[in-house]
Amino acid sequence: MIELQNITLTFPDGDNRITAVDHITLRGGNGTVTGITGPSGSGKSSILAVAATLIRPDSGGVLIGNDSDTIDAAQLSKSDATALRRERIGIVFQQSNLLPALTAREQLQVMARLGGGTKRTRKAKIDARVEELLDAVGLTEHAGKRPHQLSGGQRQRIAIARGLVHEPEVLLVDEPTSALDQERGAEIMQLIARLTRERGTATLLVTHDLVHRDVLDDLVTVIDGRITAPDAAVPAHTH
Amino acid sequence: MARAKCASGKAFIMFVAWRELRFARGRFLLIGAVVALITLLVGFLSGLTGGLAAQNISSVLQLPGDRLVLQQSEDSDASFATSSLDDDTLQAWEQADGVESVTPVGIAQSRAAASGTDDRIGVALYGLPQDASGIGSNPLFDLTPTHDGEVGLSSGAAEDLGVAVGDTISITGNDFTVTMVGEDLWYSHTPVIVMTPDAWSEASTRVGGTGEATVLAITGDADWEAIGPGTGTVAETPLSSLTALEAFQSEIGSLGLMIVMLFGISALVVGAFFTVWTMQRAGDIAVLKALGATTGSLVRDSLGQALIVLTAGISVGLAAVAGLGSLAGQALPFVVSPLTTLAPAVVMAVLGLAGAAFALRSVTKADPLTALGSNR
């Protein structure tokens, strides 16, 4: 579960500050995909950055976890926030952002190593998870290829697998279909929804493309840093 | 937060670096080749410097004592070539407080030839006392003959003259019997021949010298700076006395400057390469940070990558120095030793790493926030 509680985020603008996120409260439950949409500059990517602990909000809390294991990520130090991302948050970027020197399998292995120690038993588990996720995204036979040898859709699939390989509680996805055609975009959205439900991940997904809204469990619209609907998360589709 | 803190991130070390080395092997081979070539240049210059130094000072370094005393006039620096110390000076030092022993040493350069031939070679004549006290086994003093008509030859002198023990050589018109051939000792690029003090004094006079001792090798714990000016002399440590050899000073000075400049060039080249390389992968670094990599692990990864390139380049360069150096040693004064190979290699590695460390600013300053919304 992830819950943004009354988040406000401002940026300096000359002598003043502009408000990117204005008292937003939002909840993403386990096994659900919560869409965040809105026009360009509305603040949806800023919400994702706050949820990812990449930027600290001016006020509000970012609760991650369940029951007694819940922490407020907005209060963490920089190093603890880095550790949190390594352990409990998965991120899928707008572009796949794969490392050009690594093969598809290694893109996942590097993430697994970020999240684990060096013990052999743990490494074996990680390797098993890598193969499982490659299989889950249908790219086992392309595991030895580097990013430039993969199509845009395949790269995004690898990015999704990388975001899930360390079994995070929260998956944050930023415009995953922006570089794909409609058919491949639909495949990617369905893949995210399927993996989210299978793994019980709380997924927040930023998108401006509502063509694929049927895969979302909830959808909120952000305009000028505020959620337009007063009840925060509005069901978009019942599965 | 305990769960978030448990991961060390250390497992990340070198995982990406090794794969980048393979992926961009063309670029890394290029910088590795540059490092190897600079190592070759530094190694060659160091070997040549060592060889020239040995031909200049190997005999001087064998002079015993805590200090070497040379004549120093008011208007010029001390010099082995012009130093002349009379008996009064010798006695003044012998009687000085704290002085335990004084060994007068004569040094002059002349020419010598095997008897019956006209093939003369330049030689350094040392006049050494047979009864010098407090000197154990010493390659230079071991050549000291017992009679005025005898000489001890360094191996270089014997080889150049084509003589062996029992043969006769001619120096300044007098014949001397070779009684010993010892180690390869040189003075100012001429091989060493050791004579008795009297024979040396006569030879010195014949070649325009004073016939008086050139340098005093002194042991003890005296007030060196106080005694020197009163006797028109200066007492130097054996190493600092080498600056009184003009040829050594000029050769080593210029070669040493070249080596230092090559060290600087090496650091700059490696630093520039890794700066550009790190800037090119700034986006990757931001992504890794966003995914949870610590700055420390990324720094270790980058430095490890630089160390691999430096180690490989320097190793190839050293192998070339060892191979080519052994060939060059047959025609040039060239020394292949740890001091002329490993020491410069270590300096190059350290300076190269310093250059690479300069590039780390891009790593430490990379903002993971830029990974969101980046178009790469």
Side-chain angles (χ1 to χ4, degrees):
Chain A
M1 182 275 295
I2 180 168
E3 186 172 345
L4 308 186
Q5 289 184 332
N6 205 24
I7 293 290
T8 296
L9 176 68
T10 62
F11 292 113
D13 181 31
D15 292 336
N16 302 315
R17 295 187 76 83
I18 55 171
T19 302
V21 180
D22 192 0
H23 295 92
I24 274 188
T25 294
L26 176 64
R27 186 175 188 278
N30 295 338
T32 65
V33 181
T34 302
I36 304 170
T37 191
S40 294
S42 60
K44 51 190 189 297
S45 287
S46 294
I47 294 171
L48 210 63
V50 169
T53 72
L54 295 176
I55 191 165
R56 187 189 285 241
D58 295 25
S59 62
V62 179
L63 304 184
I64 291 176
N66 299 296
D67 304 326
S68 61
D69 198 23
T70 301
I71 59 162
D72 185 355
Q75 303 303 318
L76 296 178
S77 68
K78 207 170 177 179
S79 61
D80 284 346
T82 301
L84 183 77
R85 290 198 299 276
R86 205 159 58 221
E87 288 279 295
R88 300 173 71 172
I89 297 175
I91 303 175
V92 178
F93 302 99
Q94 186 172 353
Q95 300 294 321
S96 56
N97 279 2
L98 301 179
L99 304 180
L102 306 189
T103 64
R105 178 180 284 111
E106 289 165 348
Q107 306 285 347
L108 274 62
Q109 287 175 334
V110 72
M111 192 60 208
R113 278 160 175 75
L114 291 176
T118 54
K119 288 181 181 175
R120 285 185 182 179
T121 51
R122 190 160 192 173
K123 195 162 178 284
K125 284 182 184 174
I126 290 166
D127 286 342
R129 215 149 59 212
V130 167
E131 299 307 325
E132 177 207 328
L133 270 157
L134 282 171
D135 184 49
V137 299
L139 288 176
T140 300
E141 64 188 61
H142 299 286
K145 291 182 179 176
R146 291 203 170 93
H148 70 276
Q149 297 168 309
L150 300 169
S151 69
Q154 288 170 332
R155 284 198 291 269
Q156 201 59 293
R157 284 168 178 268
I158 291 296
I160 293 165
R162 179 177 66 181
L164 291 168
V165 73
H166 53 304
E167 294 189 324
E169 294 154 63
V170 174
L171 181 65
L172 304 172
V173 187
D174 186 19
E175 303 270 15
T177 62
S178 64
L180 304 176
D181 58 36
Q182 195 162 324
E183 186 182 345
R184 287 191 173 76
E187 287 175 9
I188 290 297
M189 291 292 276
Q190 283 162 9
L191 177 65
I192 291 169
R194 176 168 63 83
L195 293 175
T196 293
R197 284 165 199 134
E198 285 175 3
R199 290 159 191 277
T201 311
T203 298
L204 295 186
L205 186 148
V206 165
T207 181
H208 66 273
D209 185 357
L210 295 178
V211 173
H212 313 295
R213 64 177 297 169
D214 59 323
V215 304
L216 304 176
D217 297 294
D218 296 300
L219 177 67
V220 296
T221 302
V222 179
I223 296 175
D224 291 337
R226 295 181 182 176
I227 291 176
T228 54
D231 53 347
V234 179
H237 182 79
T238 303
H239 294 272
Chain B
M1 195 56 232
R3 189 182 162 193
K5 280 184 172 177
C6 69
S8 66
K10 288 180 180 173
F12 178 70
I13 298 174
M14 304 303 294
F15 183 85
V16 175
W18 277 112
R19 284 152 184 84
E20 283 178 341
L21 286 168
R22 280 207 304 267
F23 180 66
R25 54 183 166 275
R27 272 173 281 185
F28 283 108
L29 276 175
L30 198 63
I31 187 64
V34 170
V35 171
L37 283 173
I38 294 176
T39 305
L40 180 63
L41 270 174
V42 169
F44 246 83
L45 275 174
S46 299
L48 192 60
T49 304
L52 288 170
Q55 281 204 346
N56 255 316
I57 61 170
S58 60
S59 62
V60 177
L61 289 178
Q62 298 300 331
L63 292 177
D66 300 309
R67 290 288 189 279
L68 297 181
V69 169
L70 290 159
Q71 182 187 22
Q72 184 173 41
S73 59
E74 289 180 359
D75 54 353
S76 64
D77 292 333
S79 164
F80 278 92
T82 58
S83 177
S84 179
L85 306 169
D86 58 23
D87 287 343
D88 291 341
T89 306
L90 174 62
Q91 286 174 12
W93 276 101
E94 283 176 336
Q95 292 164 9
D97 289 341
V99 170
E100 294 170 6
S101 70
V102 178
T103 304
V105 176
I107 306 172
Q109 285 183 290
S110 180
R111 290 193 295 172
S115 290
T117 71
D118 289 330
D119 294 334
R120 297 182 181 280
I121 64 163
V123 294
L125 304 178
Y126 267 76
L128 301 176
Q130 180 71 33
D131 57 347
S133 62
I135 301 171
S137 179
N138 179 299
L140 181 64
F141 279 77
D142 286 349
L143 295 176
T144 309
T146 51
H147 299 99
D148 290 346
E150 297 172 347
V151 289
L153 269 56
S154 64
S155 61
E159 187 178 334
D160 288 354
L161 289 167
V163 297
V165 172
D167 292 341
T168 305
I169 63 170
S170 171
I171 302 171
T172 63
N174 290 334
D175 285 344
F176 295 87
T177 302
V178 177
T179 58
M180 182 176 293
V181 175
E183 286 188 17
D184 196 20
L185 297 171
W186 294 74
Y187 170 84
S188 198
H189 293 293
T190 49
V192 165
I193 293 175
V194 179
M195 317 171 86
T196 63
D198 288 342
W200 178 86
S201 182
E202 185 184 345
S204 167
T205 308
R206 283 177 179 247
V207 296
T210 62
E212 294 170 333
T214 308
V215 58
L216 304 179
I218 298 180
T219 57
D221 185 18
D223 187 353
W224 310 107
E225 291 183 8
I227 303 168
T231 56
T233 59
V234 60
E236 304 275 13
T237 62
L239 276 182
S240 62
S241 74
L242 299 178
T243 58
L245 269 167
E246 286 85 352
F248 174 75
Q249 200 175 11
S250 56
E251 284 173 5
I252 300 306
S254 52
L255 287 170
L257 185 63
M258 283 187 231
I259 292 171
V260 169
M261 287 180 72
L262 277 175
F263 282 146
I265 289 169
S266 166
L268 278 175
V269 167
V270 173
F273 173 83
F274 278 101
T275 298
V276 173
W277 170 248
T278 308
M279 285 170 68
Q280 283 179 341
R281 53 193 285 269
D284 293 345
I285 293 165
V287 168
L288 285 167
K289 280 189 171 183
L291 294 176
T294 62
T295 300
S297 68
L298 291 167
V299 165
R300 286 191 291 272
D301 201 56
S302 294
L303 284 180
Q305 195 174 58
L307 190 61
I308 290 168
V309 172
L310 285 166
T311 303
I314 289 171
S315 299
V316 171
L318 277 183
V321 169
L324 296 174
S326 60
L327 291 176
Q330 297 169 10
L332 295 168
F334 197 92
V335 173
V336 178
S337 71
L339 192 64
T340 61
T341 53
L342 294 181
V346 169
V347 173
M348 278 201 57
V350 170
L351 289 177
L353 275 181
F358 182 76
L360 291 178
R361 187 177 165 79
S362 300
V363 174
T364 57
K365 295 295 177 190
D367 185 355
L369 186 59
T370 59
L372 267 187
S374 65
N375 189 4
R376 298 173 51 254

